[in-house]
Amino acid sequence: MDEAAGAAQDLAPGTQLLSETVNDAGQTVQRTVDESGNIIETTLDESGELVDEDITGTVTDLPAAEGYEESSNEEGQTTRTVKDESGALISLQIGPDGSILDLKLPDLGDTVEEVTETASETTEGVTGGGDGSGEEEPNATHAAKQKAEQLGVDLSGIEGSGAEGRITVKDVVSAANGG
């Protein structure tokens, strides 16, 4: 499963891996959570190329984990532990307005190292890309379009790193962070 481990290294900055499995077609399926609390399911083919990507929900919609108590402090912040369908436990700190202040996965050892921002910056010499004419829809995954709208990022200025130049959530987050 070295290829899958390699794929996990290409997560977007601020994204944490919840689970990584291989489906019946031999494709790697990753469930990740971003700093906004979106749960993103990404499917990669055997060579690590993006096949599909979708935002499947948010961590605040997940059920409370059994055996963990929810607590609130004097500032109105709530601490809650939830369980993803993959079985991953996620500790949330939620503000009085419902926003996610902090999100942590329990440390399970060296499963996934913190992602370096250079991963998305190491593209080899790009020779031309589009001529910029026309108003056609950007080649982006549905989840990337959702994330771009959420972050106020213009997709027309982003070069996709996915298969056939497709824009991914990772590309949108990188562009939003000035990368």
Side-chain angles (χ1 to χ4, degrees):
M1 190 130 148
D2 290 332
E3 290 176 22
Q9 298 304 312
D10 288 334
L11 298 176
T15 301
Q16 298 179 55
L17 185 67
L18 295 174
S19 69
E20 189 169 281
T21 57
V22 176
N23 66 15
D24 294 339
Q27 299 168 322
T28 301
V29 179
Q30 294 178 338
R31 284 179 63 86
T32 58
V33 62
D34 67 15
E35 66 259 354
S36 301
N38 293 315
I39 298 172
I40 303 165
E41 191 168 277
T42 306
T43 305
L44 307 168
D45 66 15
E46 295 85 352
S47 63
E49 294 291 321
L50 179 72
V51 174
D52 191 26
E53 181 176 60
D54 196 23
I55 295 176
T56 61
T58 64
V59 291
T60 53
D61 296 335
L62 294 174
E66 213 172 297
Y68 291 87
E69 288 190 31
E70 185 172 300
S71 63
S72 296
N73 65 16
E74 59 276 356
E75 286 95 38
Q77 298 171 348
T78 303
T79 301
R80 176 188 312 156
T81 300
V82 296
K83 188 173 188 177
D84 179 54
E85 70 181 45
S86 67
L89 294 176
I90 306 164
S91 177
L92 303 174
Q93 187 174 13
I94 303 169
D97 62 353
S99 64
I100 297 172
L101 303 175
D102 193 20
L103 181 146
K104 293 181 187 160
L105 297 176
D107 185 14
L108 301 175
D110 296 327
T111 312
V112 179
E113 293 296 322
E114 190 171 351
V115 179
T116 59
E117 292 186 29
T118 56
S120 61
E121 298 169 3
T122 55
T123 38
E124 293 182 22
V126 178
T127 57
D131 57 2
S133 63
E135 288 291 322
E136 65 183 64
E137 178 93 7
N139 182 14
T141 66
H142 180 68
K145 290 175 187 175
Q146 284 181 295
K147 192 67 174 174
E149 186 174 323
Q150 181 184 45
L151 297 175
V153 173
D154 180 13
L155 291 174
S156 65
I158 299 176
E159 183 173 334
S161 64
E164 298 175 15
R166 197 155 195 211
I167 299 168
T168 67
V169 170
K170 178 178 129 184
D171 299 326
V172 172
V173 171
S174 179
N177 291 334

